[in-house]
Amino acid sequence: MTNHERTVVCLASYFKGVEFLREVKRQGCRVVLVTKEKFRHEDWPFESLDELIPLPNDASPELFIYTVAQLARPRKLHTVVALEELDVLTAALIREHLRLPGMGSTTARHFRDKLAMRIEAQQAGVRVPDFVHVLNYQDLEDYMKRIPPPWVMKPRSDVSAIGIKKLYDSEQVWRTIDYLDARDRLSERSSNYVLERFVAGDVYHVDSLVENGEVVFAGVNRYGRPPMSVAHEGGVFTTQTLPYDSPERAALLDINRKLITGLRMRRGATHAEFIKSAEDGEFYFLEIASRVGGAYIAEALEAASGVNIWAEWAKIELGRGEVPYVLPPTRQEYGGVALSLARQEYPDTSSFTDPEIVYRVKKRYHVGLVVRSDRHERVTELLRDYTARFERDYCAVVPPLERPE
């Protein structure tokens, strides 16, 4: 089948994946985007879309499945791809329903369910903070006697730091369970949570492209502050490329390969987070998603390496293991991003004139800059300066979300 006969269906419950959509169209395919009604007028690359289907904002997975099944009646579908983390499991269910190649729901849960990914990572020999499913009362009692606080209680399937609570004693744990079990939605009650030992330290992320079970590209970055701290306390989010000769980079690349093999990822893009414990200096696995990292991480990766991870992921999906994937030439420079919520609807960043700036965030009530340099120290210097200026002139703080909106 030639590319112009191939139909690729992309799911995006948020505004994500513009370069993925463009690349699929550049490859000559028919592109169908299925999104939510509230995102139909976002800045999608409409010139690259053959069809945009908006579903109700509260659309269920069953409605997504039905909609894509109807698309498959007049034409055969090549693949279904989730551009946003909340759609990963839905896309897997669609593939199973239509018997399309790609990740099924069992493997997809390894990348959506924080309990499943911890169990699988542990079995693969990856170090994980001590955890327990918030389910059996005796297991919880034994865990809290064995593992000293503080602990963090995390939703098994929410994204980023949404819904995470830091707890300091067993009474707080039991009261939090009571609070969760009083919720109307069954999917938000306590058995959908995991309790984990809080580990203090620096947080890193590894963003990968995977083909035939092998990591063919990986960028290694360190956050300025842990994302959980930024989400709960506000302030400026930063991340930057690690030095290429650093022992941390080598260790994280090794752990990341072991993790992806253990989770049985065959092809796609991943965003994995690890923390280096301030107590023992070891790396611990935090979470992994089968998607491109958010918060303009893709732009920072491209600044450093020359690789647009969205576009390369699109090529991997289209090849489907039948066409050999070849990574384009890469460079070893340094990228970084500074990002914050802003008080202004569209902040004016014209006063930032450094030649290293390669991208300016254009998003309502956000301020952000992506930089590139051949020197790690220069990126560090710029991000430190931008953090101080953002905090002084733009920064806004909002309470952390209890659930995705």
Side-chain angles (χ1 to χ4, degrees), residues 25-98:
K25 193 61 182 177
R26 279 194 290 265
Q27 296 292 325
C29 298
R30 178 180 174 82
V31 185
V32 180
L33 174 65
V34 183
T35 186
K36 297 288 184 73
E37 176 65 36
K38 60 185 175 182
F39 297 110
R40 69 183 301 174
H41 298 300
E42 290 285 351
D43 192 22
W44 300 108
F46 292 102
E47 73 286 352
S48 297
L49 301 180
D50 293 279
E51 195 170 355
L52 185 150
I53 301 174
L55 296 183
N57 294 330
D58 60 354
S60 65
E62 289 77 15
L63 182 55
F64 274 91
I65 293 170
Y66 174 80
T67 300
V68 179
Q70 294 306 109
L71 288 170
R73 290 186 183 276
R75 65 183 72 89
K76 290 185 178 295
L77 305 185
H78 179 68
T79 191
V80 175
V81 181
L83 302 181
E84 159 59 34
E85 187 167 351
L86 295 174
D87 299 310
V88 166
L89 187 53
T90 301
L93 293 171
I94 293 171
R95 292 186 206 105
E96 290 177 339
H97 182 65
L98 301 181

Side-chain angles (χ1 to χ4, degrees), residues 187-230:
S187 62
E188 294 181 352
R189 295 189 181 179
S190 64
S191 69
N192 294 286
Y193 283 71
V194 62
L195 189 67
E196 179 177 271
R197 176 171 65 92
F198 174 76
V199 177
D202 292 328
V203 180
Y204 299 72
H205 58 95
V206 183
D207 297 84
S208 309
L209 291 168
V210 182
E211 171 66 330
N212 288 327
E214 298 290 331
V215 177
V216 295
F217 169 81
V220 186
N221 285 38
R222 182 173 65 189
Y223 294 119
R225 290 171 57 210
M228 182 174 160
S229 297
V230 177

Side-chain angles (χ1 to χ4, degrees), residues 237-291:
F237 164 89
T238 64
T239 186
Q240 69 180 101
T241 315
L242 273 189
Y244 290 96
D245 60 353
S246 67
E248 290 90 351
R249 182 176 187 273
L252 285 166
L253 287 173
D254 182 61
I255 297 168
N256 184 65
R257 280 193 295 267
K258 187 185 297 185
L259 176 67
I260 288 172
T261 299
L263 297 185
R264 298 183 286 283
M265 163 71 86
R266 292 301 302 159
R267 63 182 46 86
T270 64
H271 172 77
E273 295 186 345
F274 306 88
I275 190 164
K276 186 177 184 181
S277 170
E279 181 178 347
D280 61 22
E282 299 287 355
F283 282 110
Y284 290 82
F285 167 64
L286 291 179
E287 63 184 59
I288 187 170
S290 58
R291 60 164 172 83

